[in-house]
């Protein structure tokens, strides 16, 4: 089979496409013939040795795939050959085949195609866990989503709207804000890119307050980090919840903790991967809820572009340059 390999840490151009041995499933495992693999921001980090997980070299990036089970290992009773599944793998997905524990595979409905399936679980799983379990968002509350046109951001926009919140989308360009509005956001704002000076940070806080009638946002969903986090916290409502989702802008912000005191707000970490491992039953319930939402037409991933497996470097460069709206996906056929 063919696989995209990271043999040395570095930029996407250092990746190679090679023929490697087809993997065999062991006890409790299945082999998936991969049809599509989503590209996510952690894929950029993991090949540069900047991610919290560090697989031994060489490895394939790619944290989520969709495909067909083509071989079942001993002891597997929940899946059979021919089943269509989403595989949550962490890495290893940019390949024509992958072996995974059966417990890390999620069947998906006939209404969902392979491209959509591979772009579904990580972003919607993260955003659903963030809003439902961590923020405990309520109907009528105001949700501010930073990076609202990205994968997790757009998922948060759709899910926030489905959960009854008033959604404000924040992004770096007007067309990105419009994408979020097309997916349900009630209002939006454009913020500047790059490092923000104090005046720009203050202006961002004031824009958020203006769009929330001076009250501030009840929930802030932040996958961006950097210079955007502090002004967003300053623009939270009393007893607001600030969700730490990621740091797509690069720097990990240092936040003055007196803001949490003055706002009576919570700064809440969101680590969906750890949640799935620690609380598998609750995660299973959440996934069933998400699949029902999809079948009801309440949520649908935006896949803005697909790439062949051989062009993984271009896909990762587009992700690193923050050119992506919604999700991008590698396809094997």
């Amino acid at each position: 089979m063919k696989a995209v390999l990271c043999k040395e840490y570095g930029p996407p151009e250092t990746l190679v496409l090679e023929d490697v041995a087809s993997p065999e499933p062991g006890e409790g495992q299945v082999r998936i013939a991969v049809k599509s693999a989503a590209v996510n921001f952690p894929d950029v980090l993991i090949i540069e040795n900047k991610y919290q997980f560090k697989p031994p070299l060489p490895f394939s990036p790619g944290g989520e795939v969709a495909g067909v089970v083509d071989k079942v290992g001993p002891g597997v009773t929940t899946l059979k050959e021919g089943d269509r599944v989403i595989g949550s793998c962490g890495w290893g997905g940019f390949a024509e085949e992958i072996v995974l524990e059966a417990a890390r595979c999620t069947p998906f409905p006939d209404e969902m195609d392979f491209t959509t399936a591979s772009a579904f679980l990580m972003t919607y799983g993260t955003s659903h866990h963030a809003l439902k379990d961590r923020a405990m968002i309520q109907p009528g509350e105001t949700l501010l989503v930073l990076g609202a046109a990205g994968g997790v951001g757009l998922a948060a926009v759709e899910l926030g709207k489905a959960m009854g919140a008033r959604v404000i989308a924040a992004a770096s360009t007007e067309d990105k804000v419009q994408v979020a509005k097309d997916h349900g956001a009630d209002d939006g704002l454009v913020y500047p890119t790059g490092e923000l000076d104090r005046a720009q940070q203050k202006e961002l806080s004031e824009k958020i307050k203006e769009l929330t009638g001076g009250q501030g946002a009840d929930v802030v969903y932040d996958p961006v980090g950097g210079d955007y986090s502090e002004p967003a916290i300053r623009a939270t409502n009393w007893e607001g919840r600030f969700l730490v989702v990621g740091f797509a802008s690069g720097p990990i912000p240092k936040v003055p903790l007196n803001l949490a005191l003055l706002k009576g707000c919570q700064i809440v970490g969101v680590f969906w991967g750890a949640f799935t491992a620690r609380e598998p039953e609750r995660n299973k319930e959440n996934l069933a809820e998400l699949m029902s939402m999809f079948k009801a037409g309440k949520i649908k991933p935006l896949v803005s572009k697909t790439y062949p497996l051989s062009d993984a470097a271009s896909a990762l460069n587009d992700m690193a340059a923050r050119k992506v709206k919604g999700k991008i996906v590698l396809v094997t056929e």
Side-chain angles (χ1 to χ4, degrees), residues 287-320:
L287 294 184
E289 193 174 319
L290 284 171
M291 292 300 178
S292 294
M293 285 181 168
F294 176 84
K295 287 194 279 189
K298 294 180 180 179
I299 55 176
K300 188 180 190 318
L302 169 64
V303 177
S304 55
K305 190 174 181 180
T306 60
Y307 306 71
L309 197 61
S310 59
D311 206 12
S314 295
L316 289 166
N317 277 323
D318 285 349
M319 177 64 68

Side-chain angles (χ1 to χ4, degrees), residues 6 46 50 75 77 84 89 95 115 132 159 177 203-204 212 217 230 243 248 263 294-296 300 308 316 324:
C6 175
I46 202 168
K50 295 178 180 178
T77 59
R84 302 161 78 244
C89 45
T115 300
K132 177 187 175 183
L159 287 165
V177 170
E203 183 181 1
L204 176 55
T212 56
E230 184 178 327
L243 298 171
K263 293 281 182 180
F294 176 84
K295 287 194 279 189
K300 188 180 190 318
L316 289 166
V324 176

Side-chain angles (χ1 to χ4, degrees), residues 135-175:
M136 291 180 282
I137 197 164
Q138 299 299 310
E141 289 192 314
T142 300
L143 167 66
L144 170 69
V145 180
L146 303 181
V152 290
L154 206 54
V157 168
E158 287 191 342
L159 287 165
K161 195 65 183 171
M163 293 175 177
R166 175 174 176 261
V167 181
I168 299 171
S172 58
T173 64
E174 196 64 61
D175 64 320

Side-chain angles (χ1 to χ4, degrees), residues 22-323:
S22 181
E24 288 295 319
E27 182 76 26
Q29 295 181 325
V30 298
R31 186 174 67 199
I32 301 170
V34 176
K35 302 297 184 183
S36 58
V39 181
N40 295 288
F41 191 70
D43 300 325
V44 177
L45 299 178
I46 202 168
I47 65 171
E48 296 179 348
N49 200 26
K50 295 178 180 178
Y51 197 49
Q52 57 257 45
F53 299 114
K54 302 182 186 298
L57 297 169
F59 67 91
S60 292
E64 56 181 343
V65 302
V68 177
V69 174
D70 73 353
K71 193 166 186 180
V72 177
V76 175
T77 59
T78 54
L79 295 172
K80 63 183 184 304
E81 289 184 16
D83 283 351
R84 302 161 78 244
V85 295
I86 301 169
S88 299
C89 45
W91 59 86
F94 291 0
E96 291 179 330
E97 296 176 348
I98 187 171
V99 162
L100 280 176
E101 289 75 22
R104 298 175 72 181
C105 299
T106 303
F108 59 93
D110 292 339
E111 295 92 335
M112 188 182 286
D113 60 43
F114 288 109
T115 300
T116 301
S118 67
F120 186 77
L121 212 56
M122 186 178 291
T123 48
Y124 284 85
T126 297
S127 297
H128 184 264
H129 170 57
L131 297 178
K132 177 187 175 183
D133 302 321
R134 304 300 287 147
M136 291 180 282
I137 197 164
Q138 299 299 310
E141 289 192 314
T142 300
L143 167 66
L144 170 69
V145 180
L146 303 181
V152 290
L154 206 54
V157 168
E158 287 191 342
L159 287 165
K161 195 65 183 171
M163 293 175 177
R166 175 174 176 261
V167 181
I168 299 171
S172 58
T173 64
E174 196 64 61
D175 64 320
K176 287 183 177 181
V177 170
Q178 188 57 52
V179 167
K181 287 182 176 179
D182 292 343
H183 284 255
D186 299 284
D187 216 328
L189 64 91
V190 177
Y191 50 62
T193 57
E195 295 183 11
L196 307 188
D197 58 31
R198 295 306 296 178
Q200 289 174 310
Q201 288 183 316
K202 185 176 180 181
E203 183 181 1
L204 176 55
S205 291
E206 292 303 318
K207 281 185 178 180
I208 297 167
K209 290 176 184 176
E210 183 181 325
L211 289 173
T212 56
Q215 295 299 306
D218 297 302
V219 177
V220 176
Y221 184 98
D222 181 14
V224 179
D227 291 340
Y228 303 89
S229 299
E230 184 178 327
I233 293 175
R234 289 182 181 276
T236 56
N237 198 357
W238 174 252
E239 295 188 341
R241 287 86 78 203
F242 177 86
L243 298 171
V244 182
V245 182
F247 313 102
S249 69
I252 297 175
K254 296 178 180 179
V255 177
L257 286 180
N258 67 308
L259 293 177
L261 184 154
L262 295 171
K263 293 281 182 180
C265 69
Q266 301 174 46
I267 299 173
V268 186
V270 178
F271 191 174
W272 178 67
F275 166 74
T276 64
R278 289 172 177 268
E279 302 191 54
E281 289 306 313
R282 284 182 66 196
N283 180 57
K284 189 182 295 184
E285 291 173 8
N286 285 354
L287 294 184
E289 193 174 319
L290 284 171
M291 292 300 178
S292 294
M293 285 181 168
F294 176 84
K295 287 194 279 189
K298 294 180 180 179
I299 55 176
K300 188 180 190 318
L302 169 64
V303 177
S304 55
K305 190 174 181 180
T306 60
Y307 306 71
L309 197 61
S310 59
D311 206 12
S314 295
L316 289 166
N317 277 323
D318 285 349
M319 177 64 68
R322 299 173 70 183
K323 294 179 179 178

